Amino acid sequence: MSDKQPNLSNAKKVFIKTYGCQMNVYDSDRMTDALAPHGYTPTSEMGEADLVLLNTCHIREKAAEKVYSELGRIRDFRNERAPGAKKMLIGVAGCVAQAEGEEIMARAPAVDLVFGPQSYHRLPELLSKAQTGRVIDTDFPEEDKFAHLPAAKKEVTISRGLTAFLTVQEGCDKFCSFCVVPYTRGAEVSRPVAQVLAEARGLADAGVREITLLGQNVNAYHGLDENGRPVSLGALCHMLAEIDGIERIRYTTSHPRDMDDELIAAHRDLPQLMPYLHLPVQSGSDAILKSMNRRHTAAEYYEIIDRIRTARPDMALSGDFIVGFPGETDADFQATVDMVAKIGYASAFSFKYSTRPGTPGAQMDDQIEEHVKAERLEILQAEITRQSQQFNAGCVGMTLPVLIEKPGRNPGQVAGRSPYLQAVHISAEKDLIGQILPVEIIGQAKNSLEGRIVTADRIAV
Ligand code: SAH
Ligand code: SF4
Ligand code: F3S
């Protein structure tokens, strides 16, 4: 593929700023990889960049508005550069680009290039067009983007560390009434099994020990195998666990309706599959769930959690909640707080409902006042914090296998993650990085644990 693409001149620098979810983090790396054969290396200094890319998020109003203020800042920065300084192209990628491409072109004349998440494989070609005029590409192309994106060089993957994201599914067909994702990312598509396994082998070969499979609805994965048969996420996890070097597998984000028996059984049977599950429910009220078009009840969610906990009793649960959805009464909100209390989350995210143009929620009557949303968010977040501290406190005294990932904040310290995704700080030497070691949890800080290595012998997870 790369020999068909225009060859831009050598030794250029790209600065990418990433907003939003892990899929954007993954995409930013893939854009870096797509630009590498064309002479671009990444920089963390905007000042030395030939190309500045914002990889944007449209999920809530605040996220989208941030893009315009950042674009103003970059424009001023570019204008203030010395006359004769090298040209700096400005590009906007991601979900705001997809949703508001024309508006960006109109509101931000400094922008040279706008392109949506399905066009990243065309980036070198778009860039060469942008040398002579402004470019916008927000089509949903027919071709498979992933088949055309080059893999990272081994040394690049090594430099990215021991854990890696791997997008296996993209897009969404669920159309929850509050959400922009089906519009910004398009229809749900699963990558073929062979493509996923090849990418995972490349990661393992470069020393990656833990892979997080990504998708907006990752557990709806149904990629085809060589015989054209669909493979579920549970079955895919079994295949990935066979790859030498892959010691931990995680996945996010899941939808309750796609939590099938095969995946739940994989949590029981597959030691590599970590006991942590992010399973957003959004609300504990049936009336609100219905109006959100989530297509399941609170009782069904409880039932799924029961099945998961039967298969894997120590499963750490996480979720997403929205407060102040149109029509949410005090009783509806209380049902959400009760749900959090009843389930006992290891962690959870909660948001004030944000009206998104073009979604059914934006047309609904009974929009909730901002101050009510704020009060509800505060109450819910207090309960979530209580839950997660309780979960962390329950780990003190336990010995957990920790993947030692990187040097810690202080000298003589290393940092890693427990199976439950908790950050663990340990007093130990850097040469242990890359190992999974038994760590006794001896203390708890606000968002992390403190541990002590029990023995430097490697253990099975
Ligand atoms: N696919 C995932 C979620 C993707 S968006 C799922 O189905 O659960 C991530 C989270 O952002 C959602 O779970 C939801 O809690 C939140 N979110 C999405 N749209 C929102 C909106 N309009 N206002 C506030 N929060 C929103
Ligand atoms: Fe958005 Fe719902 Fe799709 Fe999740 S399942 S991405 S919340 S529409
Ligand atoms: Fe945001 Fe797009 Fe992810 S809207 S949350 S960056 S899929």
Side-chain angles (χ1 to χ4, degrees):
M1 174 66 199
S2 61
D3 56 351
K4 273 199 245 148
Q5 292 175 344
N7 214 347
L8 305 173
S9 64
N10 285 328
K12 294 189 168 186
K13 295 234 150 104
V14 56
F15 171 87
I16 307 186
K17 184 158 180 179
T18 308
Y19 302 83
C21 62
Q22 291 103 325
M23 299 195 74
N24 265 11
V25 175
Y26 175 84
D27 286 346
S28 290
D29 280 348
R30 298 311 300 267
M31 284 192 262
T32 305
D33 300 339
L35 290 168
H38 301 274
Y40 280 89
T41 51
T43 175
S44 53
E45 289 291 325
M46 192 167 73
E48 56 177 39
D50 301 271
L51 172 64
V52 172
L53 292 177
L54 299 186
N55 191 7
T56 62
C57 174
H58 199 244
I59 203 82
R60 285 168 289 274
E61 190 180 351
K62 254 202 201 129
E65 278 307 313
K66 245 190 234 164
V67 174
Y68 292 99
S69 55
E70 184 66 8
L71 283 173
R73 214 173 63 83
I74 299 169
R75 176 205 55 210
D76 293 346
F77 179 85
R78 183 166 75 174
N79 291 346
E80 282 158 20
R81 294 219 295 195
K86 62 182 175 181
K87 191 168 157 49
M88 183 174 109
L89 286 179
I90 302 175
V92 183
C95 293
V96 181
Q98 187 63 48
E100 302 181 1
E102 298 291 348
E103 191 180 337
I104 296 170
M105 292 303 251
R107 266 177 78 177
V111 170
D112 302 289
L113 174 66
V114 169
F115 56 110
Q118 303 309 330
S119 307
Y120 295 160
H121 56 302
R122 295 182 183 165
L123 181 53
E125 183 190 322
L126 296 173
L127 266 181
S128 83
K129 279 196 198 144
Q131 305 288 340
T132 53
R134 303 178 83 200
V135 176
I136 176 163
D137 184 350
T138 50
D139 293 344
F140 287 103
E142 282 297 306
E143 74 263 19
D144 172 7
K145 151 180 90 172
F146 293 108
H148 291 82
L149 278 165
K153 285 221 170 92
K154 186 169 172 177
E155 60 270 23
V156 172
T157 306
I158 291 171
S159 73
R160 287 177 183 161
L162 294 158
T163 61
F165 293 138
L166 202 177
T167 293
V168 299
Q169 177 276 340
E170 194 167 12
C172 181
D173 297 335
K174 295 234 168 19
F175 292 92
C176 300
S177 58
F178 51 83
C179 183
V180 294
V181 170
Y183 313 96
T184 63
R185 292 274 173 171
E188 191 183 299
V189 177
S190 294
R191 294 177 68 185
V193 173
Q195 218 186 65
V196 172
L197 294 179
E199 191 166 328
R201 279 190 209 102
L203 293 170
D205 189 39
V208 168
R209 292 286 158 268
E210 175 179 305
I211 290 187
T212 301
L213 307 175
L214 299 181
Q216 270 90 17
N217 281 292
V218 71
N219 58 342
Y221 178 82
H222 58 274
L224 301 182
D225 67 11
E226 275 100 61
N227 304 315
R229 277 193 294 263
V231 167
S232 72
L233 188 68
L236 183 71
C237 288
H238 276 276
M239 295 175 183
L240 288 163
E242 299 279 303
I243 297 176
D244 251 4
I246 300 300
E247 300 191 51
R248 290 182 161 192
I249 302 168
R250 304 180 185 276
Y251 59 90
T252 196
T253 296
S254 300
H255 192 287
R257 279 178 64 94
D258 296 315
M259 210 60 222
D260 62 24
D261 289 341
E262 213 170 350
L263 185 54
I264 294 175
H267 275 289
R268 183 193 59 212
D269 301 334
L270 206 54
Q272 289 91 339
L273 193 52
M274 290 292 99
Y276 177 93
L277 176 64
H278 184 65
L279 195 64
V281 57
Q282 316 297 353
S283 170
S285 149
D286 283 344
I288 296 297
L289 286 171
K290 187 161 197 299
S291 160
M292 285 176 162
N293 193 32
R294 291 291 290 183
R295 288 184 280 174
H296 64 77
T297 60
E300 282 161 340
Y301 184 75
Y302 287 126
E303 192 254 327
I304 294 164
I305 299 291
D306 276 350
R307 275 163 51 216
I308 292 164
R309 282 188 161 148
T310 305
R312 184 80 206 221
D314 67 335
M315 185 73 97
L317 291 165
S318 166
D320 290 342
F321 294 89
I322 294 177
V323 300
F325 187 75
E328 186 186 69
T329 62
D330 285 342
D332 292 323
F333 171 64
Q334 192 54 46
T336 302
V337 179
D338 293 346
M339 177 178 261
V340 173
K342 190 163 162 191
I343 289 187
Y345 286 93
S347 72
F349 303 90
S350 49
F351 311 98
K352 287 189 279 186
Y353 170 67
S354 170
T355 312
R356 307 309 291 128
T359 62
Q363 315 295 325
M364 289 180 187
D365 300 333
D366 309 327
Q367 299 283 334
I368 304 293
E369 284 183 73
E370 200 49 38
H371 75 94
V372 176
K373 290 183 193 171
E375 283 158 21
R376 289 179 182 170
L377 188 69
E378 204 178 309
I379 294 168
L380 187 63
Q381 287 189 335
E383 180 58 27
I384 289 170
T385 304
R386 209 177 62 76
Q387 297 281 317
S388 80
Q389 282 175 356
Q390 197 172 320
F391 183 84
N392 287 344
C395 293
V396 176
M398 289 170 77
T399 295
L400 300 174
V402 172
L403 170 59
I404 318 278
E405 286 174 41
K406 54 188 181 194
R409 235 172 283 134
N410 306 320
Q413 226 187 27
V414 292
R417 296 250 173 209
S418 76
Y420 310 119
L421 205 61
Q422 297 143 303
V424 186
H425 299 286
I426 306 157
S427 292
E429 291 312 315
K430 283 202 297 250
D431 56 3
L432 296 178
I433 290 172
Q435 300 202 32
I436 296 175
L437 296 173
V439 170
E440 185 191 346
I441 305 304
I442 53 175
Q444 167 195 16
K446 196 156 171 259
N447 292 313
S448 63
L449 300 174
E450 194 194 337
R452 185 176 67 80
I453 292 177
V454 176
T455 140
D457 296 335
R458 287 179 63 79
I459 52 162
V461 189

